[in-house]
Amino acid sequence: MGKLKPLQNLMVEYLNEAALPTTWCPGCGIGTTIGGLIRAVDSSDIPRQKFVLVSGIGCYGGAGTYIRMSDIHALHGRCPSYATGLKLARPDLYPILLMGDGDSSAIGGNHLIHAARRNINITSIILNNHIYGMTGGQHSPTTPVGIKATTAPFGLADHPFDICRLVTAAGGTFVARTTVYHVAQLASLIDRAISHPGFSLVEVESICPTYFGRFKKMDSPVQMLHWLKDNTVSVNKAKEMSPEELVGKVVTGVFVEEHRAECVTEYQELIKRAQAK
Ligand code: SF4
């Protein structure tokens, strides 16, 4: 990753002034995530015109509207399918998926795991705030057990998905997690994910002060960021901790970084074999 420009300068360059102000609540973690994305794109060797944002539905799904980059606003949960079609038709382009926890692991869960299985060269930046924000605070597949939500007024009985483990099990070849507190790591992991030649995931542990914070009795964004700071452990430190010590902790860092055959390359080889017959 090259030298980072000051975020203030980048915002002027990358934000679509005509679409501002955003619809996001004060203190929401989406802005920080977009800041990390812009920094990574700007410092990448890949020209900005070659990236295509593919955004889904939800508060985070509107992000493409505010950024001066090519953008497809996909149907709910279908970002991986749109990006797969795009990448197969135009291998020279670099799709970046912007999906929330509900979009990627509920309605879009099947699309996510199959994109990972194929190891197609696309990058997904999943913003996990553990709740459906835009529609009023319903629980999602990543809401922790016991937490209250609009749809779980006495606390949730279900156990959550671990999105990084899910994508690892499905075959993703770059899998990492960070948080909106760790802004330098956020940009650096997105940069590594973009450069990775295969299916890559950066899960961003984010904050939704309006719903998740309120249900967790932490209604200040600052309080939520302090919680993230105090409850985050690195992958290496986590290896020395017991399962009991890891309860309630957010493990950050790179879980998987490996190389195996990539979908578009394999597909092109298949076309050549078929045409040679
Ligand atoms: Fe952000 Fe939550 Fe507000 Fe949506 S509802 S913009 S996720 S703080």
Side-chain angles (χ1 to χ4, degrees):
M1 186 169 201
K3 195 168 181 296
L4 297 177
K5 285 190 205 163
L7 197 52
Q8 226 176 337
N9 299 357
L10 289 178
M11 288 300 172
V12 174
E13 199 179 321
Y14 279 81
L15 288 190
N16 177 11
E17 214 177 322
L20 298 176
T22 72
T23 54
W24 302 321
C25 310
C28 177
I30 297 175
T32 306
T33 307
I34 296 307
L37 167 70
I38 288 173
R39 281 187 141 159
V41 165
D42 191 72
S43 65
S44 166
D45 293 333
I46 301 165
R48 175 167 150 191
Q49 310 86 275
K50 292 280 182 188
F51 290 106
V52 181
L53 304 177
V54 186
S55 51
I57 302 298
C59 296
Y60 184 46
T65 315
Y66 305 115
I67 309 172
R68 286 204 190 108
M69 286 170 69
S70 300
D71 170 46
I72 298 172
H73 199 179
L75 291 174
H76 204 0
R78 271 50 178 179
C79 290
S81 313
Y82 282 64
T84 298
L86 178 67
K87 188 71 186 172
L88 283 168
R90 290 283 307 272
D92 60 311
L93 298 179
Y94 292 82
I96 299 179
L97 313 183
L98 307 180
M99 302 179 284
D101 43 297
D103 195 40
S104 64
S105 67
I107 190 166
N110 219 12
H111 296 276
L112 177 71
I113 59 173
H114 287 287
R117 172 178 66 81
R118 293 188 181 107
N119 194 34
I120 187 158
N121 187 10
I122 56 184
T123 298
S124 48
I125 305 170
I126 296 183
L127 181 131
N128 186 0
N129 56 22
H130 304 279
I131 207 145
Y132 284 89
M134 193 179 78
T135 48
Q138 296 86 357
H139 70 273
S140 83
T142 65
T143 307
V145 66
I147 292 284
K148 290 184 181 169
T150 312
T151 42
F154 304 105
L156 190 64
D158 295 349
H159 288 259
F161 268 141
D162 177 326
I163 293 178
C164 284
R165 282 194 179 180
L166 184 70
V167 170
T168 299
T173 48
F174 182 90
V175 179
R177 183 188 291 122
T178 184
T179 84
V180 289
Y181 179 82
H182 301 87
V183 289
Q185 186 187 47
L186 174 62
S188 148
L189 288 179
I190 295 174
D191 178 65
R192 281 173 69 178
I194 286 170
S195 315
H196 179 79
F199 187 84
S200 57
L201 161 72
V202 179
E203 180 189 349
V204 183
E205 181 85 12
S206 185
I207 57 171
C208 169
T210 301
Y211 289 109
F212 191 75
R214 196 172 80 209
F215 287 123
K216 229 182 157 189
K217 306 264 183 261
M218 289 197 296
D219 54 0
S220 133
V222 174
Q223 202 183 347
M224 295 187 83
L225 286 170
H226 276 294
W227 186 91
L228 279 182
K229 174 176 170 267
D230 297 340
N231 288 281
T232 300
V233 291
S234 70
V235 174
N236 287 341
K237 180 146 189 250
K239 285 180 189 153
E240 296 160 7
M241 294 169 71
S242 67
E244 293 74 29
E245 287 171 321
L246 283 170
V247 172
K249 299 292 182 209
V250 180
V251 181
T252 57
V254 177
F255 300 100
V256 178
E257 189 168 22
E258 62 188 29
H259 294 277
R260 70 175 167 87
E262 191 273 330
C263 173
V264 176
T265 313
E266 295 277 289
Y267 189 67
Q268 286 171 337
E269 290 299 321
L270 186 149
I271 291 171
K272 275 189 210 155
R273 285 201 300 276
Q275 286 175 339
K277 289 265 173 199

